[in-house]
């Protein structure tokens, strides 16, 4: 309870106008950490916006990123001046590389005292944020705030979607505004705005001709296809023409996990994890690759699909090709993905169904991993952990629901291969930025976006403990997230790279001292347990899924990796 006052500010200030205009654009949540600008903004100045206090600004940025990604609407995050802004910057980097329309806001020194690097806590915020945002500006006059918010939203919602940033001097933030000024109604776009190249239909006709003549076409789908609303059309066309669908990390779920035409998500680590030529199996027989909403930042590289014989490529994207040096498609179509899919569906209406190339050996290898019955003395294996999570998610979630979130580490690539995803963004990870500590705030964003659905998080000990303070935040919000911390007291992915480069590891660079994550969770108000076998883990996950409040399971794990099989990681 406030020790001073519970009454909202009544004089119309920049803070009022800022929050009201964010609300007009569909923002309902601001995540963040407030500093001395609290004298200028309470965050109750506009009805319908909740402020979610986080323990770290990075958490605020990532939670906004994921909430924006799932809802398709802009979301906001807040930081105080100086170090708060720099802490927030990694969350902003996440939203530019993972393509989410985030409105990042940070306080700044008083307008008459902005001397970057000389004034206390004063940095050139716009210069810090500008290289990693779509739009970055500092408020100069209080009456401009509505226009700046409009510009920020417009830029954030233009493909490739990403963050906008507004720096707010604390005196201007609390300054009175002219309430008589009229502004046009906010017009947030229904979906991101993309480019249309004149004559794209002619290029689409070429794509249809290539599909007609191809024996084994493959659709490679990225997140821009989800943002465009094209998933139902992609599913319908894939099923009618029997074209397999392969996705990037974060586009898993375009087809449900068990769909016969869902050939899975691709990671450059898959051959090494499986000790199996997975990339060759997926792409070798293909003679036509259609990349639909593909984004190089999602970490599926053209070299991965260039396995096997010669093949034609078609690129469909709402942006001009930013990487022609790396990806030179035979047909390049710049248009809205949904518009293209609708057009292609019409142009291929009379086409005979294809015969999908056979990936049975790969599916059998994946099934073998997931069914692994062994009990290992040095800890469970990550594929066993994910199989347990899949099992309980299938028992708990309704059809086409549920979200599995992955933090960053070697285990993440097991998630790309094995984790259940029965809806778009049903598996969430940071493909573009991949910062340690992503998982917990991403799970927060997912649970807030889908409050009626189960959310599970898998995190490694290294990444999780880099941002574990926000366990208290999910406890305070009572978010029913089931967290699994796979613990080997090691930065396992870095240990892998040591072995790839040197055929040995160097413990001082990768080994941690032990952390009792069960005790840590309990100290933050979250029930927790340790599980060391499949049976114990399944029982723990089932308990957590039924609690209706946060729950954490610590699982000792170990990896059986060889340095070979990771050639696809070469750039």
């Amino acid at each position: 309870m406030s020790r001073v006052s519970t009454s909202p500010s009544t004089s119309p200030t920049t803070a009022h106008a800022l929050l009201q205009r964010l609300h007009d654009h569909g923002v309902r949540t601001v995540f963040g950490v407030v500093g001395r600008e609290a004298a200028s903004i309470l965050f109750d100045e506009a009805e319908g916006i909740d402020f979610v206090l986080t323990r770290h600004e990075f958490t605020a940025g990532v939670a906004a990123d994921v909430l924006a990604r799932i809802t398709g609407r802009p979301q906001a995050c807040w930081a105080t001046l100086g170090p708060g802004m720099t802490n927030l910057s990694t969350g902003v980097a996440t939203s530019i590389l993972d393509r989410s329309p985030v409105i990042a806001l940070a306080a700044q020194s008083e307008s008459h005292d902005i001397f970057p690097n000389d004034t206390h806590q004063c940095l050139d915020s716009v210069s810090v944020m500008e290289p990693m945002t779509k739009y970055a500006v500092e408020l100069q006059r209080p009456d401009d705030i509505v226009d700046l918010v409009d510009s920020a939203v417009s830029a954030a919602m233009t493909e490739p979607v990403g963050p906008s940033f507004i720096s707010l001097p604390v005196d201007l933030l609390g300054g009175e505004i002219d309430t008589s000024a009229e502004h046009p109604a906010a017009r947030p776009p229904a979906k991101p705005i993309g480019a249309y190249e004149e004559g794209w239909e002619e290029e689409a006709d070429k794509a249809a001709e290539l599909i007609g003549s191809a024996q084994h076409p493959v659709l490679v789908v990225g997140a821009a296809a989800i943002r465009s609303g094209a998933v139902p059309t992609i599913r319908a066309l894939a099923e009618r023409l029997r074209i397999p669908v392969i996705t990037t990390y974060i586009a898993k779920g375009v087809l449900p996990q068990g769909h016969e035409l869902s050939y899975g998500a691709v990671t450059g680590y898959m051959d090494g994890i499986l000790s199996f030529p997975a990339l060759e199996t997926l792409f070798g027989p293909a003679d036509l690759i259609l990349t639909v909403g593909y984004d190089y930042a999602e970490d599926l590289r053209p070299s991965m699909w260039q396995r096997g014989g010669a093949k034609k490529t078609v690129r469909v994207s709402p942006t001009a090709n930013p990487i022609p040096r790396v990806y030179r498609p035979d047909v390049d179509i710049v248009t809205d993905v949904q518009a293209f899919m609708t057009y292609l569906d019409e142009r291929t209406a009379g086409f005979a169904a294809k015969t999908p190339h056979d990936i049975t050996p790969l599916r059998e290898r994946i099934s073998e991993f997931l069914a692994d019955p062994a009990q290992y003395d040095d800890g469970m294996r990550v594929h066993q952990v994910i199989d347990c999570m899949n099992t309980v998610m299938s028992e708990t979630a309704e059809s086409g629901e549920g979200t599995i979130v992955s933090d960053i580490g070697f285990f993440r690539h097991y998630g790309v291969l094995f984790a259940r995803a029965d809806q778009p963004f049903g598996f969430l990870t940071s493909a573009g930025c991949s910062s340690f500590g992503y998982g917990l705030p991403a799970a927060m964003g997912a649970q807030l976006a889908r409050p009626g659905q189960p959310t599970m998080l898998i995190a490694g000990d290294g990444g999780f403990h880099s941002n574990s303070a926000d366990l208290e935040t999910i406890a305070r919000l009572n978010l029913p997230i089931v967290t699994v911390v796979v613990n080997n007291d090691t930065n396992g992915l870095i240990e892998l790279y040591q072995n790839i480069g040197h055929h040995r590891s160097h413990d001082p660079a990768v080994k941690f001292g032990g952390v009792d994550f069960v005790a840590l969770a309990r100290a933050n108000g979250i029930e927790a347990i340790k599980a060391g076998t499949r049976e114990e883990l399944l029982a723990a996950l089932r308990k957590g899924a039924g609690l209706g409040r946060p729950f954490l399971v610590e699982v000792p794990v170990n990896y059986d990796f060889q340095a070979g099989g990771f050639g696809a990681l070469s750039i």
Side-chain angles (χ1 to χ4, degrees):
M1 181 178 293
S2 171
R3 294 186 298 272
V4 179
S5 172
T6 57
S7 300
S9 300
T10 55
S11 299
T13 66
T14 302
H16 288 83
L18 167 69
L19 294 175
Q20 184 58 56
R21 198 60 169 183
L22 287 172
H23 184 274
D24 293 344
H25 280 288
V27 175
R28 297 294 180 267
T29 305
V30 180
F31 302 89
V33 182
V34 186
R36 67 180 179 85
E37 69 279 4
S40 299
I41 184 169
L42 281 171
F43 290 97
D44 65 353
E45 287 86 351
E47 291 186 4
I49 288 189
D50 294 323
F51 187 86
V52 174
L53 175 65
T54 61
R55 289 282 180 164
H56 197 281
E57 294 87 352
F58 171 65
T59 296
V62 172
D65 167 278
V66 170
L67 184 58
R69 186 188 310 182
I70 293 176
T71 63
R73 307 302 314 145
Q75 303 295 338
C77 53
W78 180 277
T80 192
L81 61 162
M85 179 273 300
T86 57
N87 283 347
L88 184 67
S89 65
T90 305
V92 172
T94 299
S95 61
I96 192 67
L97 280 165
D98 289 340
R99 315 302 192 213
S100 293
V102 169
I103 309 302
L105 307 161
Q108 177 58 291
S109 299
E110 285 78 2
S111 58
H112 56 270
D113 197 32
I114 298 177
F115 302 107
N117 303 339
D118 288 307
T119 299
H120 172 68
Q121 289 194 323
C122 183
L123 298 167
D124 188 345
S125 301
V126 170
S127 293
V128 171
M129 292 291 192
E130 195 167 29
M132 63 182 92
T133 56
K134 304 288 296 296
Y135 174 83
V137 68
E138 191 159 86
L139 180 67
Q140 303 293 326
R141 297 172 300 183
D143 291 340
D144 290 344
I145 189 62
V146 169
D147 294 332
L148 297 190
V149 171
D150 289 352
S151 295
V153 170
S154 177
M157 288 293 287
T158 299
E159 291 282 7
V161 298
S164 290
F165 173 71
I166 303 176
S167 173
L168 297 154
V170 293
D171 59 322
L172 302 187
L173 183 61
E176 293 188 6
I177 58 170
D178 180 4
T179 56
S180 66
E182 294 187 5
H183 297 277
R187 297 181 58 192
K191 68 179 187 179
I193 301 166
Y196 286 82
E197 187 173 22
E198 186 175 355
W200 69 264
E201 294 91 346
E202 296 176 10
E203 297 301 304
D205 287 339
K206 295 177 184 177
E209 292 173 6
L210 288 173
I211 291 174
S213 60
Q215 289 188 315
H216 297 302
V218 170
L219 290 170
V220 172
V221 181
I226 301 173
R227 294 194 295 269
S228 76
V231 170
T233 313
I234 289 172
R235 288 183 179 180
L237 184 136
E239 290 172 347
R240 178 171 61 81
L241 294 180
R242 293 188 56 75
I243 299 177
V245 173
I246 295 171
T247 73
T248 61
Y249 298 178
I250 60 174
K252 276 179 65 113
V254 168
L255 293 185
Q257 192 80 0
H259 197 291
E260 64 171 337
L261 295 172
S262 176
Y263 279 23
V266 170
T267 165
Y269 296 80
M270 62 198 311
D271 287 14
I273 290 172
L274 296 170
S275 297
F276 185 87
L279 289 169
E280 178 67 33
T281 303
L282 286 174
F283 293 116
D287 54 358
L288 176 63
I289 304 290
L290 290 94
T291 64
V292 181
Y294 166 76
D295 190 330
Y296 189 63
E298 292 173 40
D299 207 26
L300 196 170
R301 298 171 185 150
S303 59
M304 296 178 188
W305 68 61
Q306 290 165 357
R307 306 301 174 100
K311 55 201 73 187
K312 297 286 188 179
T313 56
V314 175
R315 175 184 177 273
V316 183
S317 176
T319 62
N321 185 1
I323 51 163
R325 183 170 62 88
V326 178
Y327 181 18
R328 296 185 177 93
D330 295 286
V331 178
D332 195 357
I333 303 165
V334 179
T335 191
D336 176 69
V337 176
Q338 169 62 2
F340 167 80
M341 292 305 306
T342 300
Y343 187 89
L344 185 67
D345 190 52
E346 295 170 354
R347 289 299 184 271
T348 60
F351 286 16
K354 305 295 178 178
T355 302
H357 64 282
D358 186 19
I359 63 164
T360 299
L362 173 58
R363 285 178 163 155
E364 290 176 345
R365 182 61 172 158
I366 289 173
S367 296
E368 180 184 347
F369 262 71
L370 291 174
D372 181 3
Q375 185 163 328
Y376 299 92
D377 293 335
D378 57 351
M380 290 184 69
R381 298 303 184 255
V382 174
H383 51 268
Q384 296 176 315
V385 174
I386 293 176
D387 184 53
C388 292
M389 294 175 70
N390 287 343
T391 297
V392 176
M393 181 63 81
S394 296
E395 295 170 354
T396 307
E398 298 293 332
S399 177
E401 294 188 351
T403 311
I404 293 179
V405 181
S406 175
D407 206 323
I408 310 307
F410 192 27
F411 63 89
R412 187 261 292 272
H413 300 281
Y414 288 75
V416 174
L417 284 174
F418 303 133
R420 175 190 185 274
D422 278 1
Q423 64 177 327
F425 301 139
F427 174 77
L428 289 170
T429 189
S430 176
C433 191
S434 293
S435 175
F436 260 15
Y438 168 88
L440 195 152
M444 287 173 49
Q447 187 62 57
L448 289 168
R450 296 166 172 162
Q453 300 184 26
T455 300
M456 291 185 180
L457 165 65
I458 182 169
D461 55 286
F464 183 75
H465 204 31
S466 73
N467 199 27
S468 59
D470 274 291
L471 278 170
E472 186 276 327
T473 306
I474 66 171
R476 178 171 15 104
L477 299 178
N478 198 32
L479 298 177
I481 298 164
V482 178
T483 298
V484 178
V485 180
V486 289
N487 187 6
N488 64 345
D489 296 326
T490 305
N491 275 342
L493 184 61
I494 310 310
E495 187 177 28
L496 169 65
Y497 275 104
Q498 288 180 335
N499 278 271
I500 290 173
H502 306 282
H503 301 286
R504 63 185 179 89
S505 61
H506 181 54
D507 285 355
V510 294
K511 293 291 184 182
F512 296 110
V515 174
D516 187 339
F517 287 101
V518 171
L520 178 69
R522 291 172 178 169
N524 283 277
I526 293 174
E527 187 174 348
I529 195 170
K530 183 176 285 189
T533 67
R534 274 184 176 271
E535 293 73 21
E536 291 174 352
L537 179 55
L538 283 168
L541 291 172
R542 286 171 175 140
K543 176 181 179 178
L547 280 178
R549 61 179 185 271
F551 187 75
L552 182 142
V553 189
E554 179 182 349
V555 184
V557 299
N558 219 320
Y559 294 103
D560 294 322
F561 62 71
Q562 304 294 324
F566 296 97
L569 301 177
S570 298
I571 300 175

